[in-house]
């Protein structure tokens, strides 16, 4: 059973194996040979036959044994929860840990990232978007000669050069071993004996050895003997083995196995199973209680029923950064969804699901301004599949588009603060373009979506779209008397002026926005960011004292409230002032904290700005080689962020100064060599190095391995040659 993959590193994002991988030695060897022969291999087979586990096992083997072929890692993209074709490319970019803040198509970003890399991409769960997935894979393979793809699906992608690997159920011996292992995991006292062996062998045969069916049976062996399981399967479900005309026997067997588990459930367990099928991905107990409780299912009983479904292997329990979460395997979920539709209650449950996630987003927005900020960032990331489903639910109904606008706008902190500008732009554009029947009286939701769109577009470097949205928001706010929306519109117009190098205009607008916020009683991360941006404008205009005063006030409020995301930007401006005053030690202290915060939130804009300035601090301290390493790493990161320094001369100044000073001390050739060393660093290694110096992470280089790592920082007079 699959676990949610961990966050990407430079070498891949494969999850650990949650349980012992039983058998399949011949299949693993055969799959490995096919990967040697073709750049696209697809493992096919009925749902539940073990495709996902096999491809993950093969991927782990490839990662360990073919490091030269896959020197840029092995990467997993799980697509089962992606239903909107427009999000397919974003899902792949997310799997690679890519962030792009421009308006470039995600496919272009993917192609550029993969163009010169040698890696293995594992695709799982693409059936609902098979045509779109096939087109994307074909394009990426054509444009990326070092890319190989290992896919798992019920049917091939049907592309030229693809090798299909039909996966049959395990042989009888392996099926029995799998059933025994899973039964023992559920009940340590379970063992195969002379008395039960025949029944277990027959059970494996009756279930055609399908791993998912065996997993379900193993869950039942905790309460029933093998003979009892066989009797129930034979007596109650002989009719189900017939199935519909034209259905493959193994499909009928799987449905039999799931249907058998369904029949063995109590009425309340079946009801919860059906209702849980509305979730698009992992969920927690609070969500299950809110969405699923109701007629026939008291909220107080949901916890016990979840436990019963876990015991029967119908749910998977996962430990995550956000606490315990549950997942329903896709085949099991689809079966439950069919039962939910048959009850006529599906639409109500979808609305309950939508309402929960609208409420969750509202709570997260409020908690973003406080000590739970990192927890909120992790929670929103974990809940993205369900938040996307909630957005779909809203935007598919013209009478509920206003809720979609509200939700897309409320998630501004996810789009701007957690590195998801491209996805945010997708939802905001869609929400504002959707027909809005019955949206009268919900103008505030539209205004919020407009200023958030203006904010996102400005950070993407799309000044035209940003200006259009912000002017529409400002005009609409004036007409409706919405002072808060007017303040946000003016603020983001000031932000647009700031990244466009119009510092006089930026200072005027940002100062006006701050006054409007105070008059409206608004205080949150956006308001503090407005003050930081005003400080930037003052600093760039040669007013360091004014900039320092503004940012010290922001830092004080952030520390009082536990806010860290905005604080990082305040630290950046304060470090700018310390460096300008000649205090390199003070500037470094501020920037190392800034780097740590930005990395924690995956805010690449803040991180790369801090690194550019830290490189300048480093050359001022007398270490041009390390400055070149940091500068090279920052240059590589801009490729993921998008438009370099927004095209701004002011924001670009530290980079140019570092390049000039370090280049003079090292010479062009040596500077280029050290910068190349920086480009090879993984992000994690880079952050450690930025905080603690080159000796802290000598082995943490990215692809190509460590090269030229130095144990101590040296001066310009005795720089070693990294080549």
């Amino acid at each position: 059973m699959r676990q949610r993959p961990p966050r990407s590193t430079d070498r891949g994002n494969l999850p650990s194996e949650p349980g012992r991988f039983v058998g399949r030695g011949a299949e693993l060897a055969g799959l490995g040979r096919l990967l040697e022969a073709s750049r696209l291999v697809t493992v096919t087979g009925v749902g539940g036959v073990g495709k996902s586990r096999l491809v993950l096992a093969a991927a782990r083997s490839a990662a360990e044994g073919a490091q030269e072929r896959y020197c840029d890692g092995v990467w997993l993209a799980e697509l089962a929860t992606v239903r909107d074709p427009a999000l397919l490319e974003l899902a792949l970019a997310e799997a690679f840990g890519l962030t792009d803040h421009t308006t470039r198509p995600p496919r272009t970003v993917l192609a550029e990232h993969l163009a010169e890399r040698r890696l293995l991409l594992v695709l799982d769960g693409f059936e609902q978007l098979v045509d779109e997935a096939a087109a994307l894979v074909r394009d990426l393979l054509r444009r990326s000669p070092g890319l190989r793809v290992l896919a798992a699906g019920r049917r091939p992608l049907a592309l030229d050069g693809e090798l299909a690997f039909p996966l049959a159920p395990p042989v009888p011996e392996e099926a029995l071993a799998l059933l025994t292992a899973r039964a023992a995991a559920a009940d340590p006292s379970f063992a195969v004996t002379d008395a039960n062996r025949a029944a277990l062998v027959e059970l494996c045969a009756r279930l055609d050895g399908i791993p998912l069916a065996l997993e379900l049976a193993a869950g039942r062996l905790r309460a029933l003997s093998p003979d009892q399981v066989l009797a129930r399967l034979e007596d109650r479900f002989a009719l189900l083995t017939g199935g519909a005309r034209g259905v493959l026997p193994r499909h009928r067997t799987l449905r039999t196995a799931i249907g058998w588990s369904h029949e063995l459930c109590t009425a309340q367990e079946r009801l919860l199973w059906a209702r849980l099928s509305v979730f698009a991905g992992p969920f927690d107990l609070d969500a299950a209680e809110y969405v699923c409780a109701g007629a026939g299912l008291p909220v107080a009983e949901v916890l016990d029923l979840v436990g019963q479904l876990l015991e029967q292997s119908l749910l998977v329990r996962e430990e995550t950064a956000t606490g315990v979460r549950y997942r329903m395997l896709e085949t099991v979920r689809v079966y439950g969804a069919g039962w939910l539709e048959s009850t006529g209650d599906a639409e109500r449950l979808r609305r309950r699901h939508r309402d929960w996630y609208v409420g969750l987003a509202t709570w997260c927005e409020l908690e973003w301004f406080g000590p739970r900020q990192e927890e909120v960032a992790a929670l929103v990331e974990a809940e993205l599949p369900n938040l996307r489903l909630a957005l779909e639910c809203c935007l598919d109904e013209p009478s509920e588009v206003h809720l979609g606008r509200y939700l897309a706008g409320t998630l501004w902190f996810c789009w701007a603060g957690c590195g998801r500008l491209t996805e945010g732009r997708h939802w905001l554009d869609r929400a504002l373009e959707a027909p809005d029947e019955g949206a009268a009286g919900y103008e505030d939701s539209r205004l919020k979506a407009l200023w958030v769109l203006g904010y996102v577009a400005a950070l993407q470097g799309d000044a035209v779209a940003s200006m259009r949205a912000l002017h529409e928001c400002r005009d609409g706010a004036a007409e409706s008397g919405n002072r808060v929306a007017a303040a946000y519109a003016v603020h983001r117009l000031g932000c647009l002026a700031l990244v466009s190098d119009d510092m006089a205009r930026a200072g005027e607008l940002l100062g006006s926005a701050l006054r409007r916020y105070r008059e409206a009683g608004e205080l949150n991360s956006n308001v503090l960011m407005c003050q930081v941006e005003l400080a930037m404008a003052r600093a760039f205009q040669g007013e360091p004292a004014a900039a320092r005063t503004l940012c010290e006030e922001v830092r004080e409020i952030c520390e009082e409230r536990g806010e860290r995301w905005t604080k990082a930007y305040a630290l950046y401006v304060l470090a700018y002032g310390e460096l300008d005053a000649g205090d390199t030690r003070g500037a470094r202290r501020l920037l190392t904290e800034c780097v740590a915060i930005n990395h924690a939130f995956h805010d690449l804009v803040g991180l790369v700005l801090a690194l550019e300035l830290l490189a300048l601090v480093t050359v001022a301290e007398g270490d041009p080689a390390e400055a070149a390493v940091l500068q090279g790493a920052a240059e590589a990161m801009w490729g993921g962020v998008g438009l370099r320094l927004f095209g701004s001369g002011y924001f670009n100044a530290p980079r140019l100064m570092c390049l000039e000073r370090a280049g003079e001390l090292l010479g062009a050739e040596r500077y280029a060599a050290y910068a190349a060393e920086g480009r090879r660093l993984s992000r994690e290694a880079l952050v450690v190095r930025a905080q603690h110096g080159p000796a802290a992470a000598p082995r943490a280089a990215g692809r190509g391995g460590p090269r030229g790592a130095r144990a101590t920082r040296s001066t310009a007079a005795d720089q070693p040659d990294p080549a």
Side-chain angles (χ1 to χ4, degrees), residues 625 666 669-675 677 680 707-710 719-723:
L666 295 171
E669 184 176 349
R670 295 173 70 207
Y671 179 92
Y674 282 112
E677 179 185 335
R680 288 192 297 270
R707 181 181 177 200
R710 297 180 302 284
Q719 296 298 332
D721 188 341

mmCIF file with all atom_site columns, all heavy atoms in Angstrom, residues 625 666 669-675 677 680 707-710 719-723:
data_model
loop_
_atom_site.group_PDB
_atom_site.id
_atom_site.type_symbol
_atom_site.label_atom_id
_atom_site.label_alt_id
_atom_site.label_comp_id
_atom_site.label_asym_id
_atom_site.label_entity_id
_atom_site.label_seq_id
_atom_site.pdbx_PDB_ins_code
_atom_site.Cartn_x
_atom_site.Cartn_y
_atom_site.Cartn_z
_atom_site.occupancy
_atom_site.B_iso_or_equiv
_atom_site.pdbx_formal_charge
_atom_site.auth_seq_id
_atom_site.auth_comp_id
_atom_site.auth_asym_id
_atom_site.auth_atom_id
_atom_site.pdbx_PDB_model_num
ATOM 1   N N   . ALA A 1 625 ? 35.913 33.232 -3.331  1.00 0.00 ? 625 ALA A N   1
ATOM 2   C CA  . ALA A 1 625 ? 35.618 31.890 -3.860  1.00 0.00 ? 625 ALA A CA  1
ATOM 3   C C   . ALA A 1 625 ? 34.277 31.393 -3.331  1.00 0.00 ? 625 ALA A C   1
ATOM 4   O O   . ALA A 1 625 ? 33.439 30.891 -4.089  1.00 0.00 ? 625 ALA A O   1
ATOM 5   C CB  . ALA A 1 625 ? 36.731 30.919 -3.486  1.00 0.00 ? 625 ALA A CB  1
ATOM 6   N N   . LEU A 1 666 ? 39.306 36.786 -8.381  1.00 0.00 ? 666 LEU A N   1
ATOM 7   C CA  . LEU A 1 666 ? 39.555 35.411 -8.807  1.00 0.00 ? 666 LEU A CA  1
ATOM 8   C C   . LEU A 1 666 ? 39.977 35.295 -10.260 1.00 0.00 ? 666 LEU A C   1
ATOM 9   O O   . LEU A 1 666 ? 40.676 34.346 -10.629 1.00 0.00 ? 666 LEU A O   1
ATOM 10  C CB  . LEU A 1 666 ? 38.289 34.564 -8.600  1.00 0.00 ? 666 LEU A CB  1
ATOM 11  C CG  . LEU A 1 666 ? 37.813 34.346 -7.165  1.00 0.00 ? 666 LEU A CG  1
ATOM 12  C CD1 . LEU A 1 666 ? 36.442 33.683 -7.175  1.00 0.00 ? 666 LEU A CD1 1
ATOM 13  C CD2 . LEU A 1 666 ? 38.803 33.491 -6.394  1.00 0.00 ? 666 LEU A CD2 1
ATOM 14  N N   . GLU A 1 669 ? 38.041 32.810 -15.187 1.00 0.00 ? 669 GLU A N   1
ATOM 15  C CA  . GLU A 1 669 ? 38.037 31.345 -15.271 1.00 0.00 ? 669 GLU A CA  1
ATOM 16  C C   . GLU A 1 669 ? 37.790 30.703 -13.914 1.00 0.00 ? 669 GLU A C   1
ATOM 17  O O   . GLU A 1 669 ? 36.982 29.785 -13.777 1.00 0.00 ? 669 GLU A O   1
ATOM 18  C CB  . GLU A 1 669 ? 39.360 30.862 -15.857 1.00 0.00 ? 669 GLU A CB  1
ATOM 19  C CG  . GLU A 1 669 ? 39.410 29.349 -16.077 1.00 0.00 ? 669 GLU A CG  1
ATOM 20  C CD  . GLU A 1 669 ? 40.692 28.902 -16.753 1.00 0.00 ? 669 GLU A CD  1
ATOM 21  O OE1 . GLU A 1 669 ? 41.439 29.781 -17.246 1.00 0.00 ? 669 GLU A OE1 1
ATOM 22  O OE2 . GLU A 1 669 ? 40.947 27.682 -16.769 1.00 0.00 ? 669 GLU A OE2 1
ATOM 23  N N   . ARG A 1 670 ? 38.476 31.193 -12.877 1.00 0.00 ? 670 ARG A N   1
ATOM 24  C CA  . ARG A 1 670 ? 38.308 30.613 -11.543 1.00 0.00 ? 670 ARG A CA  1
ATOM 25  C C   . ARG A 1 670 ? 36.939 30.962 -10.969 1.00 0.00 ? 670 ARG A C   1
ATOM 26  O O   . ARG A 1 670 ? 36.319 30.141 -10.279 1.00 0.00 ? 670 ARG A O   1
ATOM 27  C CB  . ARG A 1 670 ? 39.431 31.077 -10.622 1.00 0.00 ? 670 ARG A CB  1
ATOM 28  C CG  . ARG A 1 670 ? 40.806 30.563 -11.068 1.00 0.00 ? 670 ARG A CG  1
ATOM 29  C CD  . ARG A 1 670 ? 41.913 31.170 -10.242 1.00 0.00 ? 670 ARG A CD  1
ATOM 30  N NE  . ARG A 1 670 ? 41.916 30.668 -8.887  1.00 0.00 ? 670 ARG A NE  1
ATOM 31  C CZ  . ARG A 1 670 ? 42.379 31.344 -7.832  1.00 0.00 ? 670 ARG A CZ  1
ATOM 32  N NH1 . ARG A 1 670 ? 42.854 32.568 -8.000  1.00 0.00 ? 670 ARG A NH1 1
ATOM 33  N NH2 . ARG A 1 670 ? 42.370 30.814 -6.631  1.00 0.00 ? 670 ARG A NH2 1
ATOM 34  N N   . TYR A 1 671 ? 36.474 32.171 -11.248 1.00 0.00 ? 671 TYR A N   1
ATOM 35  C CA  . TYR A 1 671 ? 35.115 32.525 -10.793 1.00 0.00 ? 671 TYR A CA  1
ATOM 36  C C   . TYR A 1 671 ? 34.099 31.556 -11.398 1.00 0.00 ? 671 TYR A C   1
ATOM 37  O O   . TYR A 1 671 ? 33.213 31.045 -10.700 1.00 0.00 ? 671 TYR A O   1
ATOM 38  C CB  . TYR A 1 671 ? 34.768 33.962 -11.193 1.00 0.00 ? 671 TYR A CB  1
ATOM 39  C CG  . TYR A 1 671 ? 33.362 34.369 -10.762 1.00 0.00 ? 671 TYR A CG  1
ATOM 40  C CD1 . TYR A 1 671 ? 33.147 34.996 -9.545  1.00 0.00 ? 671 TYR A CD1 1
ATOM 41  C CD2 . TYR A 1 671 ? 32.261 34.082 -11.558 1.00 0.00 ? 671 TYR A CD2 1
ATOM 42  C CE1 . TYR A 1 671 ? 31.870 35.343 -9.127  1.00 0.00 ? 671 TYR A CE1 1
ATOM 43  C CE2 . TYR A 1 671 ? 30.973 34.424 -11.160 1.00 0.00 ? 671 TYR A CE2 1
ATOM 44  C CZ  . TYR A 1 671 ? 30.786 35.057 -9.946  1.00 0.00 ? 671 TYR A CZ  1
ATOM 45  O OH  . TYR A 1 671 ? 29.518 35.378 -9.538  1.00 0.00 ? 671 TYR A OH  1
ATOM 46  N N   . ALA A 1 672 ? 34.225 31.289 -12.690 1.00 0.00 ? 672 ALA A N   1
ATOM 47  C CA  . ALA A 1 672 ? 33.282 30.393 -13.361 1.00 0.00 ? 672 ALA A CA  1
ATOM 48  C C   . ALA A 1 672 ? 33.348 28.993 -12.764 1.00 0.00 ? 672 ALA A C   1
ATOM 49  O O   . ALA A 1 672 ? 32.317 28.309 -12.626 1.00 0.00 ? 672 ALA A O   1
ATOM 50  C CB  . ALA A 1 672 ? 33.571 30.352 -14.858 1.00 0.00 ? 672 ALA A CB  1
ATOM 51  N N   . ALA A 1 673 ? 34.539 28.538 -12.394 1.00 0.00 ? 673 ALA A N   1
ATOM 52  C CA  . ALA A 1 673 ? 34.677 27.199 -11.821 1.00 0.00 ? 673 ALA A CA  1
ATOM 53  C C   . ALA A 1 673 ? 33.998 27.111 -10.462 1.00 0.00 ? 673 ALA A C   1
ATOM 54  O O   . ALA A 1 673 ? 33.313 26.121 -10.156 1.00 0.00 ? 673 ALA A O   1
ATOM 55  C CB  . ALA A 1 673 ? 36.155 26.838 -11.700 1.00 0.00 ? 673 ALA A CB  1
ATOM 56  N N   . TYR A 1 674 ? 34.191 28.140 -9.620  1.00 0.00 ? 674 TYR A N   1
ATOM 57  C CA  . TYR A 1 674 ? 33.539 28.130 -8.315  1.00 0.00 ? 674 TYR A CA  1
ATOM 58  C C   . TYR A 1 674 ? 32.017 28.271 -8.454  1.00 0.00 ? 674 TYR A C   1
ATOM 59  O O   . TYR A 1 674 ? 31.254 27.641 -7.717  1.00 0.00 ? 674 TYR A O   1
ATOM 60  C CB  . TYR A 1 674 ? 34.099 29.244 -7.432  1.00 0.00 ? 674 TYR A CB  1
ATOM 61  C CG  . TYR A 1 674 ? 35.440 28.906 -6.831  1.00 0.00 ? 674 TYR A CG  1
ATOM 62  C CD1 . TYR A 1 674 ? 36.590 29.583 -7.228  1.00 0.00 ? 674 TYR A CD1 1
ATOM 63  C CD2 . TYR A 1 674 ? 35.560 27.904 -5.879  1.00 0.00 ? 674 TYR A CD2 1
ATOM 64  C CE1 . TYR A 1 674 ? 37.827 29.277 -6.683  1.00 0.00 ? 674 TYR A CE1 1
ATOM 65  C CE2 . TYR A 1 674 ? 36.791 27.588 -5.335  1.00 0.00 ? 674 TYR A CE2 1
ATOM 66  C CZ  . TYR A 1 674 ? 37.924 28.271 -5.734  1.00 0.00 ? 674 TYR A CZ  1
ATOM 67  O OH  . TYR A 1 674 ? 39.148 27.956 -5.196  1.00 0.00 ? 674 TYR A OH  1
ATOM 68  N N   . ALA A 1 675 ? 31.572 29.090 -9.388  1.00 0.00 ? 675 ALA A N   1
ATOM 69  C CA  . ALA A 1 675 ? 30.129 29.231 -9.619  1.00 0.00 ? 675 ALA A CA  1
ATOM 70  C C   . ALA A 1 675 ? 29.531 27.903 -10.078 1.00 0.00 ? 675 ALA A C   1
ATOM 71  O O   . ALA A 1 675 ? 28.414 27.538 -9.685  1.00 0.00 ? 675 ALA A O   1
ATOM 72  C CB  . ALA A 1 675 ? 29.863 30.318 -10.659 1.00 0.00 ? 675 ALA A CB  1
ATOM 73  N N   . GLU A 1 677 ? 30.598 25.001 -9.205  1.00 0.00 ? 677 GLU A N   1
ATOM 74  C CA  . GLU A 1 677 ? 30.486 24.190 -7.984  1.00 0.00 ? 677 GLU A CA  1
ATOM 75  C C   . GLU A 1 677 ? 29.177 24.504 -7.259  1.00 0.00 ? 677 GLU A C   1
ATOM 76  O O   . GLU A 1 677 ? 28.479 23.601 -6.775  1.00 0.00 ? 677 GLU A O   1
ATOM 77  C CB  . GLU A 1 677 ? 31.677 24.468 -7.069  1.00 0.00 ? 677 GLU A CB  1
ATOM 78  C CG  . GLU A 1 677 ? 31.636 23.694 -5.757  1.00 0.00 ? 677 GLU A CG  1
ATOM 79  C CD  . GLU A 1 677 ? 32.770 24.093 -4.817  1.00 0.00 ? 677 GLU A CD  1
ATOM 80  O OE1 . GLU A 1 677 ? 33.819 24.581 -5.302  1.00 0.00 ? 677 GLU A OE1 1
ATOM 81  O OE2 . GLU A 1 677 ? 32.604 23.913 -3.603  1.00 0.00 ? 677 GLU A OE2 1
ATOM 82  N N   . ARG A 1 680 ? 26.068 22.902 -8.712  1.00 0.00 ? 680 ARG A N   1
ATOM 83  C CA  . ARG A 1 680 ? 25.915 21.471 -8.465  1.00 0.00 ? 680 ARG A CA  1
ATOM 84  C C   . ARG A 1 680 ? 25.363 21.159 -7.085  1.00 0.00 ? 680 ARG A C   1
ATOM 85  O O   . ARG A 1 680 ? 24.999 20.019 -6.794  1.00 0.00 ? 680 ARG A O   1
ATOM 86  C CB  . ARG A 1 680 ? 27.255 20.751 -8.651  1.00 0.00 ? 680 ARG A CB  1
ATOM 87  C CG  . ARG A 1 680 ? 27.710 20.637 -10.101 1.00 0.00 ? 680 ARG A CG  1
ATOM 88  C CD  . ARG A 1 680 ? 28.879 19.682 -10.221 1.00 0.00 ? 680 ARG A CD  1
ATOM 89  N NE  . ARG A 1 680 ? 30.044 20.156 -9.485  1.00 0.00 ? 680 ARG A NE  1
ATOM 90  C CZ  . ARG A 1 680 ? 30.985 20.937 -10.004 1.00 0.00 ? 680 ARG A CZ  1
ATOM 91  N NH1 . ARG A 1 680 ? 30.894 21.346 -11.251 1.00 0.00 ? 680 ARG A NH1 1
ATOM 92  N NH2 . ARG A 1 680 ? 32.012 21.320 -9.283  1.00 0.00 ? 680 ARG A NH2 1
ATOM 93  N N   . ARG A 1 707 ? 32.746 18.514 -5.333  1.00 0.00 ? 707 ARG A N   1
ATOM 94  C CA  . ARG A 1 707 ? 33.928 18.891 -6.101  1.00 0.00 ? 707 ARG A CA  1
ATOM 95  C C   . ARG A 1 707 ? 34.442 20.218 -5.575  1.00 0.00 ? 707 ARG A C   1
ATOM 96  O O   . ARG A 1 707 ? 33.698 21.190 -5.476  1.00 0.00 ? 707 ARG A O   1
ATOM 97  C CB  . ARG A 1 707 ? 33.554 19.013 -7.574  1.00 0.00 ? 707 ARG A CB  1
ATOM 98  C CG  . ARG A 1 707 ? 34.732 19.375 -8.461  1.00 0.00 ? 707 ARG A CG  1
ATOM 99  C CD  . ARG A 1 707 ? 34.265 19.510 -9.900  1.00 0.00 ? 707 ARG A CD  1
ATOM 100 N NE  . ARG A 1 707 ? 35.341 19.932 -10.760 1.00 0.00 ? 707 ARG A NE  1
ATOM 101 C CZ  . ARG A 1 707 ? 35.150 20.478 -11.946 1.00 0.00 ? 707 ARG A CZ  1
ATOM 102 N NH1 . ARG A 1 707 ? 33.937 20.635 -12.394 1.00 0.00 ? 707 ARG A NH1 1
ATOM 103 N NH2 . ARG A 1 707 ? 36.165 20.837 -12.685 1.00 0.00 ? 707 ARG A NH2 1
ATOM 104 N N   . GLY A 1 708 ? 35.707 20.251 -5.211  1.00 0.00 ? 708 GLY A N   1
ATOM 105 C CA  . GLY A 1 708 ? 36.296 21.507 -4.785  1.00 0.00 ? 708 GLY A CA  1
ATOM 106 C C   . GLY A 1 708 ? 35.813 21.971 -3.429  1.00 0.00 ? 708 GLY A C   1
ATOM 107 O O   . GLY A 1 708 ? 35.964 23.122 -3.092  1.00 0.00 ? 708 GLY A O   1
ATOM 108 N N   . ALA A 1 709 ? 35.200 21.078 -2.623  1.00 0.00 ? 709 ALA A N   1
ATOM 109 C CA  . ALA A 1 709 ? 34.745 21.488 -1.303  1.00 0.00 ? 709 ALA A CA  1
ATOM 110 C C   . ALA A 1 709 ? 35.959 21.790 -0.438  1.00 0.00 ? 709 ALA A C   1
ATOM 111 O O   . ALA A 1 709 ? 36.931 21.046 -0.420  1.00 0.00 ? 709 ALA A O   1
ATOM 112 C CB  . ALA A 1 709 ? 33.906 20.384 -0.674  1.00 0.00 ? 709 ALA A CB  1
ATOM 113 N N   . ARG A 1 710 ? 35.886 22.864 0.324   1.00 0.00 ? 710 ARG A N   1
ATOM 114 C CA  . ARG A 1 710 ? 37.018 23.275 1.143   1.00 0.00 ? 710 ARG A CA  1
ATOM 115 C C   . ARG A 1 710 ? 36.675 23.134 2.612   1.00 0.00 ? 710 ARG A C   1
ATOM 116 O O   . ARG A 1 710 ? 35.551 23.402 3.036   1.00 0.00 ? 710 ARG A O   1
ATOM 117 C CB  . ARG A 1 710 ? 37.384 24.739 0.832   1.00 0.00 ? 710 ARG A CB  1
ATOM 118 C CG  . ARG A 1 710 ? 37.845 24.932 -0.592  1.00 0.00 ? 710 ARG A CG  1
ATOM 119 C CD  . ARG A 1 710 ? 38.189 26.371 -0.869  1.00 0.00 ? 710 ARG A CD  1
ATOM 120 N NE  . ARG A 1 710 ? 37.091 27.276 -0.629  1.00 0.00 ? 710 ARG A NE  1
ATOM 121 C CZ  . ARG A 1 710 ? 36.060 27.414 -1.458  1.00 0.00 ? 710 ARG A CZ  1
ATOM 122 N NH1 . ARG A 1 710 ? 35.978 26.681 -2.537  1.00 0.00 ? 710 ARG A NH1 1
ATOM 123 N NH2 . ARG A 1 710 ? 35.102 28.284 -1.202  1.00 0.00 ? 710 ARG A NH2 1
ATOM 124 N N   . GLN A 1 719 ? 43.481 31.334 -2.636  1.00 0.00 ? 719 GLN A N   1
ATOM 125 C CA  . GLN A 1 719 ? 42.375 30.514 -3.113  1.00 0.00 ? 719 GLN A CA  1
ATOM 126 C C   . GLN A 1 719 ? 42.893 29.310 -3.885  1.00 0.00 ? 719 GLN A C   1
ATOM 127 O O   . GLN A 1 719 ? 43.710 29.454 -4.795  1.00 0.00 ? 719 GLN A O   1
ATOM 128 C CB  . GLN A 1 719 ? 41.455 31.331 -4.044  1.00 0.00 ? 719 GLN A CB  1
ATOM 129 C CG  . GLN A 1 719 ? 40.757 32.494 -3.357  1.00 0.00 ? 719 GLN A CG  1
ATOM 130 C CD  . GLN A 1 719 ? 39.854 32.014 -2.244  1.00 0.00 ? 719 GLN A CD  1
ATOM 131 O OE1 . GLN A 1 719 ? 39.352 30.912 -2.295  1.00 0.00 ? 719 GLN A OE1 1
ATOM 132 N NE2 . GLN A 1 719 ? 39.662 32.843 -1.246  1.00 0.00 ? 719 GLN A NE2 1
ATOM 133 N N   . PRO A 1 720 ? 42.422 28.083 -3.564  1.00 0.00 ? 720 PRO A N   1
ATOM 134 C CA  . PRO A 1 720 ? 42.793 26.919 -4.361  1.00 0.00 ? 720 PRO A CA  1
ATOM 135 C C   . PRO A 1 720 ? 42.051 26.920 -5.683  1.00 0.00 ? 720 PRO A C   1
ATOM 136 O O   . PRO A 1 720 ? 41.013 27.536 -5.819  1.00 0.00 ? 720 PRO A O   1
ATOM 137 C CB  . PRO A 1 720 ? 42.327 25.731 -3.488  1.00 0.00 ? 720 PRO A CB  1
ATOM 138 C CG  . PRO A 1 720 ? 41.185 26.295 -2.697  1.00 0.00 ? 720 PRO A CG  1
ATOM 139 C CD  . PRO A 1 720 ? 41.522 27.739 -2.458  1.00 0.00 ? 720 PRO A CD  1
ATOM 140 N N   . ASP A 1 721 ? 42.587 26.236 -6.633  1.00 0.00 ? 721 ASP A N   1
ATOM 141 C CA  . ASP A 1 721 ? 41.948 26.112 -7.939  1.00 0.00 ? 721 ASP A CA  1
ATOM 142 C C   . ASP A 1 721 ? 40.979 24.933 -7.904  1.00 0.00 ? 721 ASP A C   1
ATOM 143 O O   . ASP A 1 721 ? 41.398 23.795 -7.704  1.00 0.00 ? 721 ASP A O   1
ATOM 144 C CB  . ASP A 1 721 ? 43.018 25.855 -9.006  1.00 0.00 ? 721 ASP A CB  1
ATOM 145 C CG  . ASP A 1 721 ? 42.432 25.919 -10.406 1.00 0.00 ? 721 ASP A CG  1
ATOM 146 O OD1 . ASP A 1 721 ? 41.197 25.791 -10.536 1.00 0.00 ? 721 ASP A OD1 1
ATOM 147 O OD2 . ASP A 1 721 ? 43.211 26.085 -11.355 1.00 0.00 ? 721 ASP A OD2 1
ATOM 148 N N   . PRO A 1 722 ? 39.651 25.168 -8.041  1.00 0.00 ? 722 PRO A N   1
ATOM 149 C CA  . PRO A 1 722 ? 38.690 24.084 -7.914  1.00 0.00 ? 722 PRO A CA  1
ATOM 150 C C   . PRO A 1 722 ? 38.802 23.080 -9.030  1.00 0.00 ? 722 PRO A C   1
ATOM 151 O O   . PRO A 1 722 ? 38.301 21.967 -8.932  1.00 0.00 ? 722 PRO A O   1
ATOM 152 C CB  . PRO A 1 722 ? 37.336 24.807 -7.965  1.00 0.00 ? 722 PRO A CB  1
ATOM 153 C CG  . PRO A 1 722 ? 37.606 26.050 -8.745  1.00 0.00 ? 722 PRO A CG  1
ATOM 154 C CD  . PRO A 1 722 ? 39.000 26.441 -8.386  1.00 0.00 ? 722 PRO A CD  1
ATOM 155 N N   . ALA A 1 723 ? 39.417 23.432 -10.142 1.00 0.00 ? 723 ALA A N   1
ATOM 156 C CA  . ALA A 1 723 ? 39.528 22.490 -11.251 1.00 0.00 ? 723 ALA A CA  1
ATOM 157 C C   . ALA A 1 723 ? 40.574 21.440 -10.961 1.00 0.00 ? 723 ALA A C   1
ATOM 158 O O   . ALA A 1 723 ? 40.618 20.415 -11.604 1.00 0.00 ? 723 ALA A O   1
ATOM 159 C CB  . ALA A 1 723 ? 39.867 23.230 -12.531 1.00 0.00 ? 723 ALA A CB  1
#
